[in-house]
Amino acid sequence: MKAIKVHEMGGPEVLKLEDIPIPFPGKGEVLVEVHAASLNPIDSKLLRADPAYQNAADHPLTPGFDLAGSVVEIGENVKHIHVGDRVYGQAAFIRKGSGAFAEYAVTPEDSIARMPDNISFTEAAATPLAACSAYQALVEHMKLTKNQRILVQGGSGGIGTFAIQLAKHLGAYVASTATGKGIQYVKDQGADRVIDYESTAFEELLHDYDAVLDTVGGEIYRKSFEVLRHGGILVSMLSRPDEALMKKFGVRAVLETTKVDSKKLGKITDLIKTGVLKINIAEVYPLQQTKEAFEAKEKEKILGKIAIEVKKSFA
């Protein structure tokens, strides 16, 4: 089969398309014929920073988290997934998978679920990490409820897109930051108020918010504390809780480590089937142009997600 392999740490230039054997599913694992995958910020981050890539010269790794496809084989003790099921989820090597950027991938049964029947494989592949991140932040950490107010930092990204839609479904008032074409994009997702972060200081306009979802980090994370009411909560995808700022403003802060599992994916499936969550794909690249997809994501401001389409017909 064809797969993207990495023999060393670095940028997109280290991604190589190679021929490798089809993996075999072990106990509790399934083999998925991959129809599509998608890029997440963590893909580029791990490529440059994870020691596993540094030691991959003799055992090259296949990158990629999110995928969608058809189950072609199941291992021993797989209980809920069957051959022929259309599934979506994750197959990252750091989650005990074989890597999503490939024609076939092995992954634990608990890392996937049956995909919604009203979306395409490409849309399904663009969903797992971003949607589960938003769900875990808003529902599990924030416990966001009707009439509460939330600020979504980076509303035009993958997580922000789902977070705005989910917050509106929960009945919250949603403010978000964006700029350029992202302003209208974020409005289209349902945001009640959009602030252009390049021309306006959001911390001077917004006050007494119940929650902030931070997908940006750095100075944006630190300024986000000023937006919260006493007792509010800040959930960040990037920054560790700042104890001094938590004490100063009387709020809670959480660094989220998203867990994509079959239970959470089941919740996401229901939200997609009922039309609550819609998937926004910015661009689609074929598997053999995964390097170009990484380059585009790093160079451009992407609205939504970049998907990787896996076809078995190329040489």
Side-chain angles (χ1 to χ4, degrees):
M1 71 170 190
K2 298 287 187 179
I4 299 297
K5 305 301 289 186
V6 173
H7 297 261
E8 59 185 331
M9 291 170 61
E13 72 281 353
V14 303
L15 299 167
K16 309 295 182 183
L17 183 67
E18 299 179 2
D19 288 298
I20 64 170
I22 295 175
F24 180 79
K27 188 174 181 179
E29 297 178 335
V30 302
L31 175 65
V32 178
E33 181 180 5
V34 181
H35 297 299
S38 72
L39 269 61
N40 292 289
I42 193 171
D43 291 313
S44 293
K45 184 177 180 180
L46 289 178
L47 203 60
R48 288 185 163 88
D50 195 297
Y53 287 120
Q54 190 173 22
N55 301 320
D58 296 325
H59 304 283
L61 299 171
T62 297
F65 279 66
D66 291 347
L67 56 69
S70 303
V71 176
V72 293
E73 190 174 348
I74 61 173
E76 183 183 355
N77 287 355
V78 171
K79 299 177 181 179
H80 305 293
I81 297 295
H82 304 93
V83 171
D85 284 348
R86 290 156 48 99
V87 298
Y88 72 148
Q90 292 195 331
F93 76 87
I94 66 170
R95 298 287 186 265
K96 300 181 180 180
S98 63
F101 299 148
E103 291 184 320
Y104 294 87
V106 161
T107 191
E109 178 185 20
D110 188 51
S111 293
I112 59 172
R114 293 178 186 85
M115 59 180 266
D117 54 16
N118 60 329
I119 61 174
S120 67
F121 283 113
T122 305
E123 291 171 315
T127 300
L129 183 56
C132 287
S133 294
Y135 185 92
Q136 188 171 322
L138 273 60
V139 176
E140 298 180 5
H141 290 306
M142 297 176 185
K143 296 176 171 59
L144 197 68
T145 58
K146 187 176 181 180
N147 295 326
Q148 287 192 316
R149 298 196 296 173
I150 179 175
L151 168 62
V152 177
Q153 299 282 22
S156 64
I159 297 173
T161 295
F162 285 118
I164 293 170
Q165 296 177 57
L166 180 57
K168 292 304 299 177
H169 171 68
L170 296 172
Y173 177 92
V174 183
S176 185
T177 53
T179 195
K181 294 180 180 179
I183 293 174
Q184 185 58 51
Y185 175 88
V186 167
K187 289 180 180 178
D188 292 341
Q189 306 314 308
D192 297 289
R193 185 173 186 180
V194 184
I195 297 170
D196 187 341
Y197 62 79
E198 288 193 345
S199 62
T200 308
F202 68 88
E203 72 276 12
E204 295 178 2
L205 296 179
L206 307 180
H207 303 285
D208 297 318
Y209 270 60
D210 299 282
V212 175
L213 174 61
D214 167 47
T215 67
V216 181
E219 190 63 22
I220 297 298
Y221 169 78
R222 289 184 285 274
K223 290 180 178 179
S224 292
F225 281 88
E226 302 178 39
V227 171
L228 291 166
R229 63 168 173 81
H230 186 85
I233 181 172
L234 193 164
V235 177
S236 178
M237 298 295 152
L238 299 167
S239 301
R240 296 184 180 279
D242 189 311
E243 297 290 342
L245 289 174
M246 289 169 62
K247 184 176 181 180
K248 177 181 178 180
F249 292 99
V251 302
R252 292 189 296 131
V254 175
L255 170 60
E256 177 173 309
T257 301
T258 301
K259 183 180 181 182
V260 174
D261 56 33
S262 55
K263 182 178 179 180
K264 202 175 281 98
L265 286 167
K267 300 288 187 181
I268 300 302
T269 295
D270 291 340
L271 292 168
I272 293 173
K273 283 184 175 180
T274 55
V276 172
L277 296 182
K278 294 180 172 58
I279 299 98
N280 290 269
I281 297 177
E283 298 177 50
V284 179
Y285 289 80
L287 181 65
Q288 63 267 40
Q289 291 182 13
T290 300
K291 178 173 73 73
E292 288 80 0
F294 270 74
E295 291 171 344
K297 185 168 180 61
E298 293 183 4
K299 293 177 182 178
E300 305 170 17
K301 181 65 178 177
I302 302 297
L303 306 179
K305 291 291 296 288
I306 291 180
I308 302 295
E309 189 174 36
V310 182
K311 293 183 177 180
K312 309 302 186 292
S313 59
F314 63 83

